[in-house]
Amino acid sequence: MGMNVGSSSGEDEVVSTINTTPLVDVMLVLLIIFLITIPVVTQSVTLSLPKETNVVRQTKPENIELAVTKDGDVYWATALVPDQEALVARLKKVSVLNPQPEVHIRGDEKARYESVGRVMVAAQRAGILKISFVTEPPARGG
């Protein structure tokens, strides 16, 4: 059993294949370095984010209940308000009371955003400071 260490002709042959093992090793090391340093480099602006709270609605007799139907009709408690100007006029009368009552808007889920927006604009024009939206909690599936 013999071992052939050199070529029989005695000339050095040039190896024409590229050894990719060192290249792959270097690339894996660079990838690991980038994966570790990218989260450290990422910066963000310091903000004080709002905290979400669910406050149970307290119904007080002085609160104003406005309802918006899917057709866009606005009801003050159970009385239909004929138009936008009439709503603003009624809200102006109660906006001067001390303490100012809260306006609770109950919008039908099929009501257009425009209809609810008009009620909000009317409250703003009348000088109402506190507007709340009344919603129902989602049904619990069992």
Side-chain angles (χ1 to χ4, degrees):
M1 271 211 229
M3 229 168 86
N4 188 5
V5 178
S7 65
S8 60
S9 64
E11 296 178 14
D12 292 332
E13 291 183 25
V14 177
V15 178
S16 62
T17 61
I18 297 174
N19 187 3
T20 58
T21 304
L23 178 67
V24 171
D25 289 344
V26 169
M27 294 305 292
L28 286 175
V29 168
L30 287 175
L31 180 66
I32 291 171
I33 290 172
F34 285 132
L35 288 176
I36 291 172
T37 58
I38 285 177
V40 174
V41 174
T42 305
Q43 297 176 356
S44 64
V45 177
T46 304
L47 297 175
S48 176
L49 297 176
K51 292 2 178 219
E52 181 181 338
T53 58
N54 276 337
V55 179
V56 177
R57 182 172 62 116
Q58 297 176 354
T59 304
K60 299 176 185 171
E62 62 268 13
N63 289 348
I64 300 165
E65 295 283 335
L66 297 177
V68 181
T69 65
K70 65 180 178 181
D71 300 325
D73 296 331
V74 178
Y75 288 85
W76 184 298
T78 57
L80 178 66
V81 179
D83 61 359
Q84 184 84 4
E85 292 307 316
L87 179 62
V88 172
R90 286 185 74 177
L91 287 171
K92 278 185 180 179
K93 289 179 186 175
V94 297
S95 69
V96 295
L97 298 175
N98 191 10
Q100 190 181 65
E102 296 178 17
V103 173
H104 294 181
I105 300 175
R106 298 171 59 233
D108 190 282
E109 67 180 349
K110 302 229 187 301
R112 295 178 50 122
Y113 291 126
E114 177 184 4
S115 303
V116 177
R118 285 185 183 150
V119 174
M120 293 173 57
V121 168
Q124 181 183 17
R125 285 179 49 201
I128 299 293
L129 299 175
K130 196 160 188 183
I131 300 174
S132 300
F133 293 98
V134 179
T135 60
E136 290 182 359
R140 294 184 184 204

